Amino acid sequence: MSKKRYAIVLDTKKCLNCKACTVACKFENGVPVGDETYRIWVTALPLQGEYPNLHQEYQPSQCQHCENTPCASVCPTHATYKTEEGVVLVDYDKCILCKACMTACPYDARFVSEHHKAVEKCTMCYHRLGEGREPACVETCPTKVRVFGDLNDPNSKVSKLLASRGFYQLKPDRNTRPRLFYLK
Amino acid sequence: MAAHVEKKSLFTLNKDIPAYPFIILGLILLAIGGIAVLQVLLKGHEAVYGVTREVPWGLLIATYAYFVITSTGLAFIGGLGHAFGYEKYAKMSRRIVVMAFVILLAGFTQIGMEIGHPIRLMIYLILSPNLRAPIVWMGVFYSIELVILAIELYMVFNPDKVSHSASAVVGFFALLVGTVATSNLGYVFGSLNARPFYHGIYFSTFLVISGITAGAAMLMLIHNIVYKGRIPSDLEDSMTALGKLMGLGIGLMIFLYFWKIMSSLYTEPKGAYEAVLAMLKGPLSVNFWIGEVGLAVVLPLLIIVFTKARNMKALGFAGFIYMIGLFFTRFDFIVAGQLPPMRAGYEGSGVHTTISGLAHYSPSAGEWMIFALGWGVFLFLYFAAEKYLNLETEHH
Ligand code: SF4
Ligand code: SF4
Ligand code: SF4
């Protein structure tokens, strides 16, 4: 029995900027409304090309569930930890709100949650995974930008996509080895 | 072995020391801080503080660093006196130890109000400490420092019960742990993957050196206040020695500043470059040129050089402006490193940036009130000690 290694593969060319994923995330996880309180986001990248041949890409993103995890390294109480499937989680009861993890994360993926009185971020909807369900953002995306699965299973959709298409990751210079892959 | 000719008792009422204005000021600041503490307890940190998702560490972390590093600088100077026989500093040891202890407490108020769950911190630092996390070691070292300073307090007030060698050993550990604690504080920042401005050995070194300089500055300032500018002749040599120590410290600061800035400009490392530009010509430039360079480097150094560190009042003034300038140094250090945002502030990114593409931070009223709390603790406790304790070090 091989251990699972979860990842999300994103085909951003398909993204409509409909923001259904961000709404689904808020709804699923009870993320408070607010300017700074969001787990996932969809950035409109700058326009490219010359008029009239302009095009724009959108870049949905979130916690990268880094394999080398700068947020967990600096967390003094082990409140931030990695599950054996590689999902990075926060134990709200252990978080002392020192915010070291926020200053250490190169993706600005974390925020202070008034509700939990702790630092919060994307969990890959960890509560769903045990039931074999996908993260809410993946489930809801109308154009299937987001694909979720197990990297250790060569037959999973994520493994196949990564084997068949070129991909890149965000900020490779930070050496965090993200579990989010962007298809080229 | 300590022999005394006439031993004054520990408790006295020092009529000559102008402590009451400072005690009253301290009480006012404590009251202001107390209001902010209540607000934080009632409304929560997020409602009262101005820190953001992009700049999570702000004024309170800067003030914490300002206080605790000054404390370790004082402990270092005290250690030079006790452990290495620098008699000129040993003559001031009571003031040094009391001040170091009180300033450390002032620093703890800042971190206590900054951290969301300080009690939980103490529990989980014992139950599940992450030994890889520099913050754990920060807690350990500063706690040890507090205990050592408490022991030193006992020793300096009971010199006849303590042997020279015992106070030398304790003084040495105060110096050692203080240096380790402060350099580790540099590592707390250096260990943040996302913030290249803090990386490397620079801040660990710079914080220690500027902290020792701050210790000297505080001693020169406080002695001038306590003696109303008329330093007793037997302390003049000590003051001159402090002035020279401070001059040396500022010289080293210039050296470190210069190369840090040059190396950040030269190769334009992402993150560090933008942070340095924010100080040189960006939102922090007034702080940097007037506060850090003018008040913490140029003016005090000129005063020390031109008076050859022999004019006592000038030394007190140099100490005063250095301590003001150093506050900007600490603030800029904390803020500059966080201004380059982790993601560009494009539409939908959720990131708030200014036109220059940097994140923005300015402290809230609540944060300034907690800042006042720290000063209140220091002024009230320290000047109460001046008023009611005998802080003249008896000659051994
Ligand atoms: S993206 Fe940030 S929060 Fe997520 S695992 Fe990496 S460092 Fe931690
Ligand atoms: S804020 Fe919480 S999760 Fe983040 S480093 Fe501190 S204790 Fe860990
Ligand atoms: S739901 Fe899918 S298409 Fe819509 S914004 Fe999110 S990633 Fe893009």
Side-chain angles (χ1 to χ4, degrees):
Chain A
M1 195 189 75
S2 78
K3 257 193 321 186
K4 289 190 191 314
R5 212 152 51 95
Y6 290 131
I8 294 180
V9 175
L10 298 110
D11 192 351
T12 56
K13 295 204 174 49
K14 290 184 185 167
C15 179
L16 310 166
N17 197 22
C18 69
K19 302 227 172 20
C21 50
T22 60
V23 175
C25 173
K26 287 229 177 210
F27 196 75
E28 175 76 18
N29 297 296
V31 179
V33 183
D35 224 15
E36 302 194 337
T37 49
Y38 52 87
R39 290 185 179 190
I40 74 176
W41 56 90
V42 185
T43 304
L45 297 178
L47 284 174
Q48 288 183 327
E50 298 267 325
Y51 180 83
N53 298 318
L54 293 170
H55 72 108
Q56 184 166 31
E57 267 197 45
Y58 301 100
Q59 190 183 64
S61 199
Q62 64 210 62
C63 169
Q64 308 286 310
H65 295 276
C66 308
E67 196 180 315
N68 169 28
T69 318
C71 54
S73 313
V74 298
C75 177
T77 59
H78 282 302
T80 291
Y81 65 102
K82 203 162 33 174
T83 70
E84 52 170 19
E85 309 98 330
V87 180
V88 177
L89 297 178
V90 180
D91 180 341
Y92 299 141
D93 292 332
K94 281 189 188 170
C95 174
I96 60 162
L97 275 177
C98 65
K99 297 183 281 184
C101 54
M102 291 172 67
T103 45
C105 167
Y107 304 94
D108 184 11
R110 303 178 152 241
F111 64 94
V112 175
S113 159
E114 280 287 295
H115 173 59
H116 294 296
K117 301 260 178 282
V119 157
E120 181 184 331
K121 61 167 205 72
C122 160
T123 59
M124 278 188 177
C125 288
Y126 196 70
H127 57 285
R128 287 173 158 230
L129 306 183
E131 307 164 14
R133 295 172 70 200
E134 297 187 314
C137 59
V138 174
E139 192 178 86
T140 213
C141 177
T143 52
K144 300 292 162 220
V145 172
R146 300 158 171 274
V147 180
F148 173 81
D150 177 11
L151 290 177
N152 280 348
D153 172 4
N155 292 318
S156 70
K157 268 196 272 176
V158 286
S159 300
K160 286 184 175 158
L161 275 172
L162 294 181
S164 63
R165 304 231 341 231
F167 60 85
Y168 62 93
Q169 291 179 300
L170 301 183
K171 299 197 179 187
D173 58 312
R174 297 284 107 214
N175 247 349
T176 56
R177 300 194 289 282
R179 290 282 168 80
L180 251 68
F181 300 86
Y182 289 84
L183 295 177
K184 280 187 181 154
Chain B
M1 257 267 301
H4 305 285
V5 190
E6 42 171 335
K7 184 179 184 302
K8 280 207 259 168
S9 84
L10 172 57
F11 296 100
T12 56
L13 181 65
N14 302 303
K15 291 203 183 63
D16 297 340
I17 294 179
Y20 283 132
F22 294 98
I23 293 177
I24 292 166
L25 178 63
L27 284 171
I28 294 170
L29 294 175
L30 278 176
I32 293 173
I35 295 170
V37 171
L38 278 180
Q39 283 185 340
V40 169
L41 292 178
L42 294 174
K43 298 189 205 158
H45 288 67
E46 292 310 291
V48 180
Y49 295 159
V51 281
T52 61
R53 179 166 178 153
E54 289 91 24
V55 185
W57 285 347
L59 178 66
L60 301 196
I61 295 282
T63 316
Y64 163 70
Y66 180 81
F67 283 134
V68 298
I69 295 170
T70 302
S71 170
T72 53
L74 285 160
F76 188 96
I77 295 172
L80 287 181
H82 281 131
F84 296 110
Y86 284 80
E87 278 302 317
K88 286 175 182 150
Y89 302 136
K91 278 190 204 165
M92 302 175 154
S93 53
R94 279 194 181 173
R95 286 211 164 87
I96 292 178
V97 176
V98 170
M99 206 185 299
F101 189 80
V102 171
I103 282 202
L104 193 58
L105 292 182
F108 285 169
T109 63
Q110 304 298 297
I111 195 82
M113 289 308 297
E114 158 70 27
I115 284 185
H117 300 286
I119 309 287
R120 211 185 260 184
L121 165 74
M122 290 175 211
I123 296 170
Y124 285 106
L125 273 195
I126 295 165
L127 289 186
S128 63
N130 175 10
L131 299 183
R132 283 179 69 194
I135 288 186
V136 166
W137 297 102
M138 181 179 92
V140 169
F141 292 133
Y142 278 112
S143 305
I144 297 176
E145 185 74 1
L146 188 71
V147 173
I148 294 179
L149 285 174
I151 297 171
E152 278 201 302
L153 268 184
Y154 174 83
M155 289 178 148
V156 290
F157 284 110
N158 296 285
D160 38 353
K161 295 198 187 120
V162 179
S163 72
H164 259 307
S165 53
S167 66
V169 169
V170 176
F172 173 73
F173 276 104
L175 176 153
L176 183 73
V177 174
T179 307
V180 172
T182 301
S183 53
N184 176 71
L185 188 56
Y187 181 50
V188 166
F189 293 91
S191 64
L192 304 172
N193 178 305
R195 315 284 175 175
F197 179 62
Y198 300 135
H199 294 173
I201 191 178
Y202 171 78
F203 279 114
S204 289
T205 316
F206 183 83
L207 296 183
V208 171
I209 286 171
S210 57
I212 296 168
T213 315
M218 278 303 283
L219 287 169
M220 297 185 329
L221 170 61
I222 293 282
H223 276 90
N224 263 284
I225 293 175
V226 166
Y227 295 111
K228 299 178 201 151
R230 290 186 291 275
I231 304 290
S233 54
D234 66 329
L235 282 180
E236 283 192 359
D237 279 354
S238 310
M239 291 284 285
T240 297
L242 286 173
K244 289 182 178 162
L245 181 68
M246 183 172 161
L248 175 69
I250 294 177
L252 289 171
M253 283 167 66
I254 294 174
F255 178 81
L256 290 166
Y257 260 132
F258 184 76
W259 292 118
K260 168 76 179 173
I261 289 172
M262 284 307 285
S263 58
S264 296
L265 292 180
Y266 193 69
T267 52
E268 303 193 8
K270 188 144 180 52
Y273 178 63
E274 293 86 343
V276 167
L277 286 190
M279 301 207 308
L280 295 183
K281 52 182 198 177
L284 298 171
S285 58
V286 175
N287 286 2
F288 179 76
W289 291 109
I290 297 180
E292 292 198 55
V293 176
L295 299 180
V297 172
V298 176
L299 274 178
L301 192 61
L302 286 178
I303 292 172
I304 290 166
V305 169
F306 282 108
T307 63
K308 299 198 171 65
R310 289 196 196 287
N311 180 330
M312 298 299 125
K313 282 188 187 144
L315 286 179
F317 184 65
F320 177 61
I321 54 177
Y322 178 84
M323 290 312 292
I324 295 176
L326 185 71
F327 175 72
F328 291 99
T329 308
R330 299 288 182 249
F331 182 84
D332 291 354
F333 153 60
I334 303 292
V335 174
Q338 299 172 78
L339 286 186
M342 293 301 104
R343 297 182 273 121
Y346 300 137
E347 191 204 318
S349 65
V351 177
H352 307 282
T353 51
T354 59
I355 302 170
S356 54
L358 294 175
H360 172 75
Y361 167 70
S362 61
S364 69
E367 284 169 295
W368 284 116
M369 288 161 82
I370 300 290
F371 168 84
L373 175 76
W375 278 107
V377 165
F378 171 71
L379 291 175
F380 175 71
L381 290 179
Y382 183 75
F383 282 96
E386 282 287 359
K387 195 77 194 172
Y388 300 112
L389 299 178
N390 172 20
L391 296 189
E392 307 272 320
T393 302
E394 286 146 25
H395 297 297
H396 291 222

